[in-house]
Amino acid sequence: MTTSLSPGAADALLFDLGRVVIDFDLARTLKAWAVELGSDPSAMMMRLAQNDMFHRYETGHVTDAEFFAAVRDVLGLKLSDEALREGWNAIFIGEMPGIGPQLARAARHLPLYALSNTNDAHIAHFSEHYAHLLVHFRELFLSSRIGMRKPNANAYDHVVKNIGARPDRIVFFDDLAENIEAARQHGLKAVHVRSSADVAQALDQLGLA
């Protein structure tokens, strides 16, 4: 389903960060850890993503050290915390092509917010390296800081309450279909982002010059 937007239809814009504002590639982390991962690194990383410790890390219930200890255990690694952190943060490629000007354009007209599933190690990294993009946002709702993850209902409820706008006056940009669907179920307008062109088109529809 395509979200219908029209000029003046939004009071706030809400952005996911990963693959909407900041690009990433899991292969970069796999490469950083490849010497320890064996013949099927993708399958081994899937084991990590399905581990309860990962979800607890992204909701702020375990420390970096506890998470890295779990990584060593689940994946059979012998790397130090620092080596794991370096590989973990190697996932980031750079800003999504063309997103900088779109954020600057949008921020001239409406308040911008972010809602992202992330963790403390990644937050420390992108807060430093992508400050030039994050400066456009009035507030960042980050899962490990608010204790909630998309697509869970409480994450959207928390953000809508804190933004202080009606859900149908918030336009949400995300790259994952399940997050888009959950946002729509909570009354937000939502745009499925495959590239920055999707963001630009939505801003055009909203009449933001």
Side-chain angles (χ1 to χ4, degrees):
M1 181 176 67
T2 302
T3 295
S4 177
L5 301 174
S6 59
D11 293 328
L13 304 180
L14 179 64
F15 290 80
D16 178 29
L17 292 180
R19 289 195 172 139
V20 175
V21 176
I22 304 169
D23 200 7
F24 68 88
D25 183 359
L26 177 59
R28 292 167 65 92
T29 288
L30 298 178
K31 182 177 180 181
W33 294 345
V35 66
E36 300 283 347
L37 278 174
S39 60
D40 192 0
S42 295
M44 297 185 76
M45 286 300 290
M46 184 63 68
R47 284 166 47 197
L48 177 63
Q50 293 172 344
N51 187 283
D52 181 62
M53 184 66 77
F54 176 76
H55 298 283
R56 293 178 63 205
Y57 185 44
E58 284 212 330
T59 50
H61 293 107
V62 299
T63 65
D64 289 358
E66 290 170 326
F67 174 69
F68 291 136
V71 170
R72 274 190 292 269
D73 181 54
V74 172
L75 301 184
L77 301 177
K78 302 185 190 305
L79 300 174
S80 67
D81 280 9
E82 193 52 43
L84 288 172
R85 184 188 307 275
E86 184 176 345
W88 189 241
N89 287 331
I91 194 171
F92 296 109
I93 299 173
E95 67 180 82
M96 287 290 290
I99 194 61
Q102 300 306 325
L103 293 177
R105 168 192 177 188
R108 288 196 296 267
H109 301 275
L110 292 170
L112 274 54
Y113 301 87
L115 171 61
S116 188
N117 291 346
T118 188
N119 53 78
D120 286 351
H122 283 170
I123 292 170
H125 182 86
F126 65 64
S127 294
E128 176 183 354
H129 291 85
Y130 300 98
H132 63 291
L133 297 175
L134 302 180
V135 71
H136 296 296
F137 295 95
R138 182 169 296 187
E139 189 168 356
L140 304 178
F141 300 100
L142 307 175
S143 64
S144 67
R145 301 288 170 83
I146 66 174
M148 313 167 202
R149 295 176 81 249
K150 300 173 294 183
N152 295 336
N154 60 355
Y156 297 98
D157 291 340
H158 176 84
V159 169
V160 169
K161 179 180 179 181
N162 280 273
I163 289 176
R166 284 186 358 219
D168 64 337
R169 300 285 301 173
I170 300 172
V171 178
F172 175 53
F173 299 87
D174 200 287
D175 66 314
L176 296 180
E178 64 178 359
N179 295 336
I180 290 293
E181 180 58 28
R184 288 173 177 164
Q185 289 177 1
H186 280 76
L188 285 76
K189 293 184 170 68
V191 176
H192 193 178
V193 176
R194 299 167 187 83
S195 74
S196 297
D198 294 317
V199 177
Q201 182 180 44
L203 299 183
D204 288 344
Q205 293 172 348
L206 290 168
L208 307 182

